[in-house]
């Protein structure tokens, strides 16, 4: 394994501090049989750090970044690495709880929003907890290169390396992970339901991550082979999916796919393509977002030939051939309108399925309904249904995005049901 150490901090370049971390890390890595081929120091500058990372990924298997994890704007190591890897920054639950305890016990310290930067890690990383400080470290493997983020102060870096990083590197085993994706449950509820499993976790570990409208669980383990890792994951996954929610569902009913990139929309698209079925949509509050999402996928024209964006009541009537008097009687925000929109869209395009979305994106109420009230229609060749969804406390943009996710989920469940009936 070829390793590279990147020390981040303008104070190193100006000679204000001596980079003793590089010597410590080189000795530790050598004891593990890992060769350090390059050592670099770079200032607190995004473009220069990005250029160093671009070079490092081409020549090293292990890239260790030290420093730049603090709360100030010039502490940008995690932010730049996240940008370089095209990942988000997410909050590590353990580090966030430590941050809460620290400020709760120190009345002489004022907590500011930027303090929370120290509890962030690059999405999909394995966290490295900080025994003597607040800045959490992390390990992530992308495209065959392992990236490690460590704090700069030696008093924090050394315990983290000895107690957190070395046990990961000092083994012939590799890191494996499996991502479970859920829709219809929030991160806080999922963590509560899995509290006993999370508290007892040793190997594999469980890391929840919230996304807009959904949540994922990353299971991680060290194993000598994919087969060994899969055996560990299968045992834990069975336990997770059997957990019952507060609504008396099992988590398996809310699970929809594996993987980092297998979105709810893509999962539904693949089901449509596999079944050889077509779909259309009539959208009001989402203004074509459902259709635009479908069009992101290669081969979309095989399942989607066109649809409707009918924002006003008059356009719903004119484009979908729904009597205006009926729309005025029932209102835009209604189960009737959602069903008629889906029914007519399917008939007019001769599609196998049709989805409709109507409701209140916000921030103002409409027809007496609060922002976040959404009706989704789903028409098939056999029947038409409507579903009411309440997406409260969200921005206008998030209401629209989550409404589209609900529409894809209803279509996904219908496709699976029809597939199982064959």
């Amino acid at each position: 394994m070829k390793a590279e150490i990147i020390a981040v901090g303008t104070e190193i370049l100006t000679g204000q501090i001596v980079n003793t971390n590089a010597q410590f890390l080189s000795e530790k890595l050598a004891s593990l049989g890992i060769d350090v081929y390059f050592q670099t120091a770079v200032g607190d500058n995004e473009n220069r750090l990005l250029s160093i990372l671009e070079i490092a990924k081409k020549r090293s298997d292990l890239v260790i970044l030290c420093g730049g994890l603090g709360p100030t704007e010039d502490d940008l190591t995690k932010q730049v690495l996240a940008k370089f890897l095209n990942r988000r920054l997410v909050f590590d639950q353990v580090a966030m709880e430590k941050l809460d305890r620290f400020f709760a016990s120190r009345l002489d310290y004022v907590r500011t929003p930027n303090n929370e930067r120290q509890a962030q890690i690059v999405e999909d990383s394995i966290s490295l907890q900080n025994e003597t400080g607040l800045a959490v470290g992390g390990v992530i493997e992308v495209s065959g290169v392992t990236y490690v983020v460590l704090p700069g102060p030696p008093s924090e870096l050394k315990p983290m390396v000895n107690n957190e990083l070395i046990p990961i590197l000092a083994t012939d085993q590799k890191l494996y992970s499996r991502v479970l994706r859920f829709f219809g449950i929030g991160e806080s509820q999922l963590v509560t339901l899995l509290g006993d499993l999370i508290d007892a976790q040793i190997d594999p570990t469980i890391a929840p991550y919230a996304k807009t409208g959904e949540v994922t669980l990353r299971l991680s383990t060290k194993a000598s082979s994919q087969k060994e890792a899969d055996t560990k994951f299968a045992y834990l996954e069975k336990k997770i999916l059997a957990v019952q929610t507060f609504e008396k569902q099992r988590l398996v009913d809310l699970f929809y796919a594996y993987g980092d990139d297998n979105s709810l929309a893509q999962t539904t698209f693949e089901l449509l393509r596999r079944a050889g079925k077509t779909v259309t949509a009539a959208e009001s509050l989402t203004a074509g977002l459902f259709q635009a999402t479908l069009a992101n996928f290669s081969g979309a024209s095989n399942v989607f030939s066109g649809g409707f964006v009918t924002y006003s009541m008059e356009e719903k009537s004119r484009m979908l051939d729904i009597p205006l008097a009926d729309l005025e009687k029932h209102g835009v925000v209604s189960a009737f309108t959602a069903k008629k929109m889906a029914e007519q869209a399917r008939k007019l395009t001769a599609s196998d399925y049709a989805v409709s979305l109507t409701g209140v994106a916000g921030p103002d109420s409409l027809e007496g309904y609060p922002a976040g009230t959404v009706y989704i229609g789903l028409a098939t060749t056999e029947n038409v249904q409507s579903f009411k969804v309440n997406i409260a406390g969200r921005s206008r943009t998030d209401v629209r995005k989550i409404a589209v996710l609900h529409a894809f989920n209803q279509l996904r469940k219908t496709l699976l049901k029809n597939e199982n009936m064959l």
Side-chain angles (χ1 to χ4, degrees), residues 215-228:
V215 63
T216 65
L217 289 179
R218 176 172 290 275
L219 313 184
S220 299
T221 188
K222 291 178 287 183
S224 57
S225 66
Q226 184 70 59
K227 182 178 180 181
E228 180 186 346

Side-chain angles (χ1 to χ4, degrees), residues 344-381:
Q344 290 300 102
R346 196 197 69 78
K347 288 180 180 178
L348 291 169
T349 59
S351 298
D352 297 303
Y353 297 93
V355 166
S356 68
L357 295 110
T358 186
V360 192
D364 300 323
S365 61
L366 178 66
E367 297 178 351
Y369 290 94
T373 304
V374 177
Y375 283 93
I376 298 169
L378 178 59
T380 70
T381 54

Side-chain angles (χ1 to χ4, degrees), residues 244-315:
Q244 192 174 67
T245 72
F246 300 124
E247 291 77 23
K248 305 304 181 184
Q249 293 176 290
R250 290 185 304 156
L251 285 181
V252 68
D253 300 320
L254 305 178
F255 166 76
Y256 74 83
Y258 296 100
D260 287 311
D261 303 318
N262 200 4
S263 68
L264 187 55
Q266 175 133 28
T267 300
T268 308
F269 172 78
E270 294 299 337
L271 286 171
L272 281 166
R273 187 158 62 176
R274 188 168 74 199
K277 300 297 184 181
T278 57
V279 67
T280 187
E283 299 182 66
S284 183
L285 84 157
T286 48
L289 185 58
F290 180 92
Q291 297 166 72
T293 304
L294 268 180
N296 284 333
F297 306 120
S298 176
S301 59
N302 294 323
V303 302
F304 173 66
S305 59
F308 308 85
V309 176
T310 58
Y311 227 69
S312 71
M313 190 176 289
E314 290 73 19
E315 287 304 308

Side-chain angles (χ1 to χ4, degrees), residues 1 32 34 165-175 222-224:
M1 177 180 282
L32 298 175
I34 299 173
L165 180 60
I166 293 300
I168 294 175
L169 298 179
T171 175
D172 292 331
Q173 297 179 320
K174 291 179 61 178
L175 290 171
K222 291 178 287 183
S224 57

Side-chain angles (χ1 to χ4, degrees), residues 93 180 182 185-201 204-209 215-219 236-246 249-252 254:
Q93 186 179 359
L180 311 181
F182 298 86
I185 188 169
E187 182 186 23
S188 59
Q189 185 180 3
L190 184 60
V191 169
T192 300
L193 292 170
L194 299 178
D196 291 343
L197 288 175
I198 292 174
D199 290 343
Q201 66 178 328
T205 59
I206 306 170
Y209 296 102
V215 63
T216 65
L217 289 179
R218 176 172 290 275
L219 313 184
L236 180 57
E237 181 183 324
K238 184 177 180 180
K239 285 187 171 183
I240 290 171
L241 297 183
V243 170
Q244 192 174 67
T245 72
F246 300 124
Q249 293 176 290
R250 290 185 304 156
L251 285 181
V252 68
L254 305 178

